[in-house]
């Protein structure tokens, strides 16, 4: 069985087992679609099947349990049909899953024939498309405002801005987020009484009337296709009579009923549809919308724009490349991504446009790397004996991986070009000390260094560590030369720091984004370090670097990046991997408990605290906009303090506290004044409390694996055995494969790959990770596409790195635009 099908089957089984609660996938089944579709295409699943799965599951969360069951059922049947008998029934070995055990839904058994109504002209399926030949001087001005389009005035233009659409070009690149497949609809004559159906037809008549008392308004329409007719009735929705007219094409969905022996539908869902939008195979684009515009309106305007402008778009990829990579011409791709002539063409269109995204990303990364490499950087020749002495006084011996990374940094600092290095190492692998040594090397030579961390708690922790490491006896600095600058730093102190950095009296500054927001100037910044780099946007990283003149750059991340991703995303960075844990670390013992077993976790905490250890209890962010995160933590803190852990002191930490308040709590916890810290997810990154041995996470199902792993990394940093307890929201979720994976492995890399598989790169890398907003079609898990695009980008770069050849002129412009929108730098 193809992996994507197996995966789908597993989701469906889990869903069935959980009673169709839409919790087989975190965030709901719809969440896995993007990733799954990419994988399915990769697997060679037919495009129409991928689309059908997408279309059906997209709105899964809105369905009732019964409809969900029917949906999964229907889909599974469809897959069975397409993939024949050689695929075993998914649940032979498991009676818990009703998916294939029950009788398939009746309508799924019938091989639906396409409706005869409105049949648009058939086109030869995969005939090669001719290359578009444009007369010169007839290029589209894609920068023209959308008001160029007929019937789009200022008012609509403003509305469209909500979708990020300002120009014709924006419009062409506003891709449908899905396509409805009307080819699978039943002809009216084949409908039977009592079925849930969708059908497509023409309005033959439409009337409205009131019941005798005048209390109920009734709209009645007769809808027909070539095979027959059906009567649809709506109650108390008089406006339908004004919105639907005779001759309109319409899609109805609902349950069929009968009245006096004739088929009827009562209050079906309906949506109008333009005949011309219905392409050969009945594929209709569905666009992301915004308030005040309708699908129909936007589809109409899109149709106009695509018809008038798509073929005037200039293809910026050289003809040779199009041939070599077997890609559609850009105008053709743009046309078919909106109004595909067939599923096959849609697939090709998506492929071309996704290729472009990776290709431009990659080309930009290569150029960036070259530009970076061409710059001159200060040479730091490190005295090995001095460095050995520094390492010698550390409270521990460096691991082999730490030492290797340090060697790489020593090498980078001496090349005469700015270092551009990413240090990747799992939580607790000891990245900080590597950063500290890099700082020591630079300040020893009299220059300045800055370290930026995502939270003030973490910045402060680094500050204390660096103070320790750099200003102790053998260290190169005195305490006055190291400062902390966070949002909460008093203005007077900030002024002093500013003066010290400008004069060069202060050598090292550690801080949050306050560092870049503040007008600090450095006398001689030679090393910029960014910790937990995935927490920062591209521009923030660039801003820190711009505080110096081509300073050396070191970025650190605990996000283990699968190779496929690293090469694309961090193509312009050199990567060091710290793949070894400091000795003596025991894996954190991880358990998934059901909510009923909560008491057990409390007794474990009690026992640990009695032994002198500390514990974290984490409550999830329920929803971005939802304030209940704090509420949950605040209420639970009170409850736990009063009813459960009366004999202990409990601290409380949440996102709405001021940085100062948070720091105070964190300090008290670190200093052992609190036994237990109740916190929201703000505690996630970097904080080091070696004495803490228990991490209890409530609502664990709401977190991604990478994030859970980060939480877990907060404990087990000392010599004592540590525990991580995961309590999902419902007992069913205890079986949740994702959570069980946490219990199975302590390897962040394995978890990251799983996360990537399940949630896709956006979530995985953090939404702020830039370079990805440009990837609208390309999936970073589509390894084949990435490799293909990378290969062609590298070949082109080899031939004409600066794109100065005349045939690359338009490509240079396109590249510039792509990177201008994104950023000038994605590292
Ligand atoms: P991370 O890579 O997650 O940033 P840290 O740098 O915070 O990890 O290190 C985690 C803990 O491990 C710290 O308490 C640090 O002092 C300790 N540590 C780092 N390197 C070593 C080592 N080589 N041997 C023992 N302990 C180490
Ligand atoms: Mg760290």
């Amino acid at each position: 069985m193809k992996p994507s099908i197996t995966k789908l089957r597993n989701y469906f089984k889990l869903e069935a087992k959980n009673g169709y609660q839409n919790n087989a996938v975190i965030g709901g089944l719809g969440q896995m679609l993007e990733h799954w579709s990419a994988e399915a295409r990769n697997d060679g699943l037919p495009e129409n099947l991928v689309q059908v799965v997408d279309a059906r599951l997209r709105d899964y969360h809105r369905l009732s349990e019964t409809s969900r069951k029917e949906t999964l059922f229907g889909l599974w049947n469809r897959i069975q049909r397409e993939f024949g008998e050689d695929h075993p029934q998914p649940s032979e070995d498991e009676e818990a899953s009703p998916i294939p055990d029950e009788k398939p839904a009746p309508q799924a058994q019938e091989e639906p024939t396409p409706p005869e109504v409105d049949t648009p002209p058939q086109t030869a399926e995969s005939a090669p498309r001719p290359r578009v030949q444009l007369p010169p001087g007839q290029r589209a001005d894609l920068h023209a405002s959308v008001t160029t389009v007929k019937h789009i005035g200022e008012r609509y233009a403003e509305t469209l801005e909500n979708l990020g659409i300002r120009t014709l070009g924006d419009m062409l690149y506003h891709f449908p987020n899905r396509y409805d497949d009307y080819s699978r609809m039943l002809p009216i004559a084949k409908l039977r009484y009592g079925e849930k159906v969708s059908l497509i037809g023409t309005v033959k008549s439409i009337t409205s009337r009131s019941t005798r008392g005048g209390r109920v308004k009734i709209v009645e329409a007769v809808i027909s296709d070539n095979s027959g007719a059906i009567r649809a009735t709506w109650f108390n929705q008089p406006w339908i009579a004004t919105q639907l007219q005779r001759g309109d094409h319409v899609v109805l969905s609902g349950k069929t009923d009968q009245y006096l022996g004739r088929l009827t539908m009562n209050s079906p869902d309906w949506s109008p549809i333009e005949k011309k939008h219905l392409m050969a195979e009945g594929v209709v684009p569905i666009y992301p919308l915004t308030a005040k515009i309708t699908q129909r309106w936007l589809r109409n305007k899109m149709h106009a724009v695509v018809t008038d402008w798509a073929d005037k778009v200039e293809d910026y990829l050289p003809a040779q490349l199009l041939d070599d990579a077997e890609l559609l011409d850009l105008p053709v791709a743009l046309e078919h991504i909106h109004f595909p002539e067939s599923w096959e063409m849609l697939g090709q269109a998506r492929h071309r446009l996704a290729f472009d995204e990776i290709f431009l990303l990659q080309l930009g990364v290569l150029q960036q790397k070259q530009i970076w490499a061409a710059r001159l950087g200060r040479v730091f020749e490190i005295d090995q004996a001095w460095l050995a002495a520094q390492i010698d006084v550390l409270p521990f011996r460096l691991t082999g991986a730490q030492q290797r990374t340090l060697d790489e940094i020593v090498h980078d600092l001496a090349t005469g070009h700015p270092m551009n290095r990413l240090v990747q190492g799992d939580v607790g692998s000891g990245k900080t000390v590597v950063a500290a040594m890099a700082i020591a090397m630079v300040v020893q030579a009299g220059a300045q260094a800055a370290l930026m961390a995502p939270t003030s708690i973490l910045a402060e922790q680094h500050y204390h560590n660096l103070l320790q490491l750099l200003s102790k006896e053998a260290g190169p600095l005195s305490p006055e030369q190291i400062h902390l600058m966070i949002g909460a730093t008093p203005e007077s102190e900030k002024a002093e720091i500013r003066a010290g950095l400008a004069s060069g009296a202060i050598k090292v500054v550690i801080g949050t984004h306050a560092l870049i927001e503040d007008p600090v100037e450095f006398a001689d910044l030679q090393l910029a370090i960014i910790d937990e780099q995935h927490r920062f946007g591209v521009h923030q990283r660039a801003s820190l670097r711009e505080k110096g003149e081509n300073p050396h750059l070191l970025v650190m991340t605990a996000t283990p990046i699968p190779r496929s991703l690293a090469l694309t995303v961090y193509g312009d960075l050199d990567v060091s991997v710290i793949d070894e844990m400091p000795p003596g670390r025991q894996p954190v013992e991880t358990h998934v408990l059901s909510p009923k077993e909560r008491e057990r976790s409390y007794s474990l905490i009690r026992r640990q605290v009695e032994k002198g250890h500390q514990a974290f209890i984490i409550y999830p962010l329920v929803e971005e906009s939802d304030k209940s995160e704090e509420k949950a933590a605040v209420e639970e803190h009170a409850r736990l303090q009063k009813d459960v852990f009366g004999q202990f002191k409990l601290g409380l930490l949440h996102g709405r506290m001021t940085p100062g308040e948070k720091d105070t709590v964190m300090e008290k916890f670190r200093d052992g004044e609190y036994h237990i810290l109740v916190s929201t997810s703000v505690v996630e990154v970097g904080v080091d409390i070696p004495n803490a041995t228990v991490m209890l996470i409530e609502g664990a199902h709401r977190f991604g694996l990478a994030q859970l792993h980060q939480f877990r990394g907060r404990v087990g940093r000392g010599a004592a055995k540590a525990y991580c307890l995961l309590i999902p929201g419902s007992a069913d979720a205890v079986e949740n494969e994702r959570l069980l994976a946490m219990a199975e492995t302590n390897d962040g890399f394995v978890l990251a790959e799983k996360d990537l598989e399940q949630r896709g790169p956006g979530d995985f890398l953090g939404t702020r990770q830039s370079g990805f907003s440009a990837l609208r079609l390309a999936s970073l898990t589509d390894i084949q596409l990435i490799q293909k695009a990378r290969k062609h980008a590298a070949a082109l770069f080899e031939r004409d790195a600066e794109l100065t050849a005349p045939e690359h002129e338009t490509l240079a412009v396109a590249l510039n635009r792509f990177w201008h929108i994104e950023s000038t730098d994605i590292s």
Side-chain angles (χ1 to χ4, degrees):
M1 194 181 297
K2 307 219 186 240
S4 55
I5 294 189
T6 310
K7 191 173 281 175
L8 209 57
R9 184 192 69 167
N10 290 342
Y11 289 141
F12 286 11
K13 274 167 69 173
L14 191 57
E15 230 348 69
K17 204 164 157 197
N18 293 353
Y20 304 97
Q21 298 299 308
N22 195 21
N23 58 10
V25 174
I26 195 162
L29 273 189
Q31 292 300 311
M32 61 90 182
L33 283 174
E34 212 158 86
H35 170 67
W36 181 85
S37 314
E39 195 185 354
R41 289 190 183 100
N42 229 1
D43 269 350
L45 255 58
E47 181 64 24
N48 59 350
L49 187 61
V50 177
Q51 291 290 339
V52 166
V53 171
D54 189 287
R56 300 265 171 89
L57 294 188
R58 184 70 56 185
D59 290 322
Y60 186 79
H61 62 283
R62 296 219 189 101
L63 303 178
S64 69
E65 276 159 42
T66 323
S67 310
R68 285 177 180 173
K69 188 170 171 184
E70 277 169 21
T71 300
L72 295 194
F73 227 67
L75 272 176
W76 188 251
N77 265 301
R78 171 83 187 261
I79 292 168
Q80 291 287 297
R81 274 208 309 275
E82 295 240 3
F83 283 81
E85 304 69 41
D86 51 343
H87 299 300
Q89 296 265 309
S91 72
E92 272 169 351
D93 46 345
E94 243 188 84
E95 48 201 342
S97 163
I99 288 200
D101 294 345
E102 293 183 13
K103 278 208 174 313
Q107 79 193 74
Q109 268 189 332
E110 204 143 356
E111 190 57 63
T113 40
E116 271 113 348
V117 63
D118 288 348
T119 305
Q122 296 289 329
T123 32
E125 268 243 346
S126 49
R129 301 282 307 184
R131 292 253 181 269
V132 178
Q133 292 296 337
L134 275 182
Q138 234 214 315
R139 305 300 189 203
D141 179 10
L142 295 179
H143 300 295
S145 156
V146 284
T147 51
T148 321
V149 182
K150 225 175 163 183
H151 303 307
I152 300 188
E154 288 304 326
R155 212 164 47 86
Y156 274 121
E158 249 172 56
T159 308
L160 285 174
E161 273 206 50
N162 296 337
L163 293 169
I165 300 176
R166 289 192 186 84
T167 64
L168 293 177
D170 295 339
M171 204 123 169
L172 283 175
Y173 277 84
H174 184 67
F175 300 141
N177 50 10
R178 65 186 170 97
Y179 305 82
D180 272 354
D181 179 5
Y182 292 130
S183 68
R184 293 279 155 183
M185 292 194 178
L186 290 175
I188 292 175
K190 290 216 173 175
L191 299 181
R192 284 193 224 122
Y193 157 72
E195 290 175 357
K196 280 190 70 172
V197 296
S198 289
L199 63 91
I200 189 164
T202 313
V203 178
K204 284 294 166 206
S205 69
I206 181 152
T207 54
S208 58
R209 61 183 166 91
S210 300
T211 49
R212 249 169 246 141
R215 311 231 331 240
V216 181
K217 296 213 170 7
I218 298 176
V219 175
E220 269 183 343
V222 175
I223 314 289
S224 76
D225 63 11
N226 288 354
S227 72
I230 188 169
R231 184 177 298 271
T233 312
W234 291 274
F235 302 93
N236 279 334
Q237 302 176 55
W239 58 86
I240 292 177
T242 61
Q243 291 181 355
L244 261 185
Q245 269 138 38
R246 214 185 113 103
D248 281 355
H249 299 280
V250 67
V251 181
L252 296 186
S253 20
K255 198 163 174 187
T256 51
D257 212 327
Q258 63 177 341
Y259 182 68
L260 300 177
R262 284 206 229 122
L263 273 187
T264 59
M265 287 175 103
N266 283 331
S267 299
D269 282 343
W270 62 280
S271 61
I273 179 163
E274 304 271 321
K275 197 170 173 181
K276 65 183 178 205
H277 299 155
L278 200 60
M279 292 303 172
E281 293 190 10
V283 188
V284 173
I286 309 291
Y287 291 98
L289 291 178
T290 180
K292 287 192 262 179
I293 58 175
T294 63
Q295 195 58 250
R296 181 188 204 175
W297 181 89
L298 186 58
R299 203 185 280 142
N300 254 315
K301 298 295 165 282
M302 279 295 182
H303 195 263
V305 171
V306 170
T307 311
D308 290 351
W309 298 93
D311 64 350
K312 301 193 184 67
V313 173
E314 186 169 16
D315 201 329
Y316 46 78
L317 291 187
Q320 186 63 48
L321 173 59
L322 292 178
D323 277 343
D324 292 350
E326 297 182 337
L327 297 171
L328 286 187
D329 281 338
L330 186 55
V332 179
L334 285 172
E335 185 188 329
H336 286 270
I337 191 117
H338 290 284
F339 300 98
E341 171 186 280
S342 64
W343 292 113
E344 153 76 19
M345 281 304 287
L346 174 61
Q348 287 198 41
R350 290 181 66 105
H351 182 76
R352 159 68 208 253
L353 294 163
F355 177 94
D356 285 18
E357 292 171 359
I358 301 281
F359 181 83
L360 294 175
L361 183 64
Q362 189 62 31
L363 207 53
V365 159
L366 289 171
Q367 283 191 345
Q368 187 68 40
K369 185 164 190 171
Q370 194 179 52
I371 291 169
W372 198 243
R375 288 194 190 159
L376 297 183
R378 166 95 58 91
V379 175
F380 291 89
E381 296 275 12
I382 311 303
D383 177 348
Q384 287 295 343
W386 171 84
L387 183 59
Q390 292 296 314
I391 293 173
D392 226 37
V393 295
L394 289 175
F396 42 70
R397 295 190 50 175
L398 292 183
T399 63
Q402 283 171 323
Q403 184 62 56
R404 200 175 55 233
T405 304
L406 215 48
D407 292 344
E408 284 164 347
I409 293 171
V410 168
H411 169 263
D412 287 353
L413 289 176
T415 58
H417 299 287
M419 166 165 76
N420 205 15
R421 185 166 292 278
L422 172 77
V423 175
Q424 179 193 319
D426 207 348
V427 208
S429 61
K431 296 181 287 294
T432 315
V433 67
V434 172
M437 288 297 113
I439 293 175
M441 294 180 221
V442 167
V443 296
Q444 171 71 8
Q448 291 171 303
L451 189 161
M452 184 163 72
T455 63
S456 26
I457 294 173
L458 191 53
E460 210 199 337
Q461 178 186 302
H462 283 324
Y463 169 69
H464 289 300
N465 279 337
L466 290 174
L467 206 56
Q468 262 280 311
L469 288 168
L470 299 174
S471 65
K472 61 186 178 319
E473 276 161 63
L477 295 180
S478 65
E480 313 80 67
Q481 292 177 304
I482 307 175
H483 280 262
L484 174 71
M485 186 192 254
I486 55 179
T489 308
E491 187 46 43
S492 58
E493 201 183 323
K494 279 187 182 164
E496 274 171 42
I497 298 175
R498 249 174 249 134
L501 288 171
S503 73
I506 295 177
K507 296 298 178 195
V508 181
V509 67
I510 295 127
T512 53
H513 52 270
L515 270 186
I516 46 175
E517 279 156 16
D518 200 275
V520 280
E521 279 178 29
F522 292 80
D524 187 20
L525 179 67
Q526 288 296 337
L527 175 63
I529 302 183
I530 290 149
D531 190 24
E532 308 286 350
Q533 67 84 31
H534 61 283
R535 285 296 185 115
F536 290 101
V538 174
H539 297 286
Q540 290 173 307
R541 280 175 256 154
S543 307
L544 182 64
R545 192 154 71 184
E546 277 155 20
K547 297 269 178 184
E549 229 172 89
N550 297 337
H552 294 282
L553 176 76
L554 190 64
V555 297
M556 306 198 286
T557 182
T559 311
I561 303 146
R563 202 178 146 70
S564 61
L565 273 180
L567 288 173
T568 307
V569 184
Y570 301 116
D572 58 335
L573 294 173
D574 299 311
V575 180
S576 299
V577 184
I578 304 190
D579 51 4
E580 189 184 344
M581 284 288 170
R585 289 277 167 80
Q586 307 175 42
V588 178
E589 192 179 311
T590 303
H591 299 277
V592 184
L593 300 179
S594 86
K596 279 198 199 130
E597 298 171 295
R598 190 168 280 123
E599 193 46 49
R600 276 177 58 196
S601 65
Y602 293 158
S603 27
L604 177 78
I605 291 178
R606 247 176 241 122
R607 285 198 303 276
Q608 288 291 309
V609 173
E610 276 156 10
K611 279 191 194 164
H613 293 303
Q614 290 165 289
F616 289 98
I617 303 180
I618 308 288
Y619 289 89
L621 177 75
V622 176
E623 246 168 29
E624 282 289 348
S625 58
D626 202 325
K627 297 291 171 265
S628 49
E629 175 196 18
E630 282 82 33
K631 194 161 155 266
V634 171
E635 284 173 1
E636 282 297 298
H637 171 259
R639 182 185 74 87
L640 292 168
Q641 180 70 79
K642 185 164 158 282
D643 302 340
V644 185
F645 298 118
Q647 70 274 45
F648 303 137
K649 281 197 74 178
L650 275 65
L652 172 65
L653 191 73
H654 62 69
R656 291 171 90 196
M657 298 165 79
T658 66
E661 290 168 339
K662 282 191 229 168
D663 288 351
T664 311
V665 173
M666 226 36 224
E667 274 162 25
K668 283 188 168 177
F669 186 55
R670 184 190 57 208
D671 300 342
E673 282 183 46
Y674 293 130
H675 301 105
I676 299 168
L677 185 65
V678 176
S679 172
T680 60
S681 53
V682 295
V683 80
E684 180 192 349
V685 282
V687 187
D688 200 12
I689 312 274
N691 190 41
T693 54
V694 187
M695 170 62 65
L696 167 61
I697 303 171
E698 293 276 0
H701 61 296
R702 295 190 184 274
F703 296 106
L705 290 177
Q707 207 183 357
L708 288 173
H709 184 63
Q710 287 279 331
F711 287 134
R712 179 164 64 183
R714 300 301 112 231
V715 297
R717 298 190 142 215
K721 180 162 186 62
Y723 303 86
C724 174
L725 306 172
L726 305 171
I727 305 187
S730 77
D732 293 344
V734 174
E735 300 296 320
N736 192 323
E737 278 184 57
R738 278 174 359 96
L739 296 183
L740 290 178
M742 286 291 295
E744 276 158 23
T745 179
N746 265 277
D747 186 334
F749 198 89
V750 172
L751 293 171
E753 295 225 302
K754 270 200 200 292
D755 230 16
L756 185 62
E757 236 172 63
Q758 290 167 351
R759 309 193 339 150
D763 277 331
F764 174 79
L765 291 157
T767 41
R768 267 169 290 181
Q769 184 76 34
S770 205
F772 292 104
S773 43
L775 304 190
R776 284 180 291 184
L777 293 171
S779 157
L780 284 174
T781 53
D782 187 346
I783 309 294
Q784 276 168 17
L785 174 74
I786 291 175
Q787 281 173 349
K788 178 173 166 182
R790 279 169 44 81
K791 187 183 89 185
H792 287 285
L796 190 94
F797 187 78
E798 185 81 358
R799 283 201 307 280
D800 182 16
E802 269 145 45
L803 304 181
T804 43
E807 70 269 26
H808 296 152
E809 199 182 309
T810 46
L811 176 58
V813 174
L815 183 66
N816 199 7
R817 197 169 50 229
F818 181 86
W819 282 84
H820 185 71
I821 293 166
E822 274 323 301
S823 137
T824 49
D825 170 2
I826 63 153
S827 59

